[in-house]
Amino acid sequence: MKGLGLGGYEPDSQRDVAVAFRIQVAEDEQFIPSHRHRKGQLILALHGAITCEVENAMWMVPPQFAVWIPGLVPHSNRATPGAQLCFLFIEPGAAAMPEHCCTLKISPLVRELILSLSTRLGNELKTEATQRLTRVLFDELPQQPQEQLQLPVSLHPKIRMMVETMAAEPAEWQTLGQWASRFAMSERNLARLVVKETGLSFRRWRHQLQLILALQMLIGGQTVQQTALSLGYESTTAFITMFRKGLGQTPGRYLNALTTPSQ
């Protein structure tokens, strides 16, 4: 945690009800291995994106969204190069937050409350003004809508191999038949395994992974055409159709709605 610019702050060593830190991710600090802490943590993406692996699921956090991780839940984080993030640590029971991990769509008001809190450290956290700000934040934060930007995964070695390989080479591993051949299994048995381990059909599971990868690529600066090609789509139209079905908007409109210049 120290390498992320938290100034040596250890979440479990202090009892402040809410502490926020603004983070600039350096090129060599893009991955934080699995860890946990007593305090709950909200990870807000300001610029760039971060992917968290929590509770056998991958959670994608694009700008204007945040992932909520309850206290004591093991999680790892991977950010895009140069990402700007804000970490908010909340004392257990201090706010009426969900008891499960989730992605939240953050309103401009809540975003500014968190950023304002991130400028107040040390003795400033105990002032009446900061306590009033925190009370407003705790009123608003639990009301933020949840979004489905997670990919179910599991510890099963075949599922792990599929996730890691498809994430690294999405254009090369498109079909259930390819994987069945790789594992020397029938397509029916592999399809059943995917449903058992993830709760989704192979097609829906693959599309969810593609959505996560697409958001990473698009936020990272790739065009819609480049992203479609990287994911193995033969036409941009087919990719846009998949994206719209998953997130309700075309890639261009979705990204335009997310774009808020970082201050």
Side-chain angles (χ1 to χ4, degrees), residues 68-70 95-102 104 141-142 146:
W68 165 247
I69 306 165
M97 296 299 290
E99 296 181 357
H100 59 278
C101 298
C102 56
L104 303 176
L141 187 55
Q146 297 184 24

Side-chain angles (χ1 to χ4, degrees), residues 3-6 21-26 29 46 83-87:
L4 285 174
L6 299 189
F21 295 92
R22 188 162 172 167
I23 311 298
Q24 175 73 50
V25 178
E29 296 178 342
L46 305 174
Q84 295 177 31
L85 313 170
C86 196
F87 287 179

Side-chain angles (χ1 to χ4, degrees), residues 138-155:
F138 284 176
D139 283 342
E140 295 293 327
L141 187 55
Q143 301 180 47
Q144 304 306 288
Q146 297 184 24
E147 297 286 337
Q148 298 302 313
L149 292 177
Q150 78 272 18
L151 175 76
V153 295
S154 83
L155 296 178

Side-chain angles (χ1 to χ4, degrees), residues 47-50 60-63 80 213-222 227 254-255 258:
H47 177 75
I50 185 168
M60 176 65 190
V61 191
T80 55
L213 296 174
L215 284 171
Q216 290 176 326
M217 293 173 188
L218 292 166
I219 292 169
Q222 288 194 29
T227 300
Y254 191 89
L255 289 177
L258 294 181

Side-chain angles (χ1 to χ4, degrees), residues 25 56 60 63 75 81 88 98 112-113 116 126 129 158 162 196 212 222-223 228-229 236:
V25 178
N56 290 334
M60 176 65 190
H75 56 283
L88 171 65
E112 292 306 315
L113 288 169
S116 179
K126 306 184 187 304
K158 288 184 173 63
M162 293 170 73
K196 176 184 176 183
I212 291 174
Q222 288 194 29
T223 66
L229 183 62
T236 302

